[in-house]
Amino acid sequence: MTLRKGAKTMSKPINFNPSDIAIEGYDPVSYFLDHPTLGNPNLTLFYEGAIEQFASEANKTILQAESAKYIP
């Protein structure tokens, strides 16, 4: 299976299972906006080999647009 991520091609999926949820399920964007908030398991994004969960669709969009600002 080949996955495309931007211009980069990865040869195999990385961390695509429920135990690979980043930062214990907290919304990474929420740390910068208000206070840490648990993400919704239905609002996820596979990013850099981990599953990110978001409290809102808006936060998911923010991360997609400015990932370097919100992901260490």
Side-chain angles (χ1 to χ4, degrees):
M1 173 184 228
T2 299
L3 299 176
R4 294 216 29 98
K5 182 175 170 120
K8 197 165 143 184
T9 301
M10 296 184 287
S11 60
K12 64 181 180 176
I14 302 169
N15 293 341
F16 290 163
N17 68 59
S19 66
D20 295 321
I21 296 172
I23 56 175
E24 298 180 13
Y26 279 82
D27 180 333
V29 177
S30 71
Y31 281 89
F32 298 89
L33 299 181
D34 254 337
H35 60 281
T37 305
L38 273 174
N40 179 338
N42 296 315
L43 291 173
T44 62
L45 176 69
F46 294 104
Y47 184 81
E48 296 292 323
I51 301 167
E52 301 289 346
Q53 293 183 340
F54 300 91
S56 68
E57 189 66 43
N59 285 5
K60 181 177 175 180
T61 301
I62 288 170
L63 182 88
Q64 289 172 308
E66 302 179 74
S67 59
K69 183 176 177 180
Y70 298 101
I71 300 290

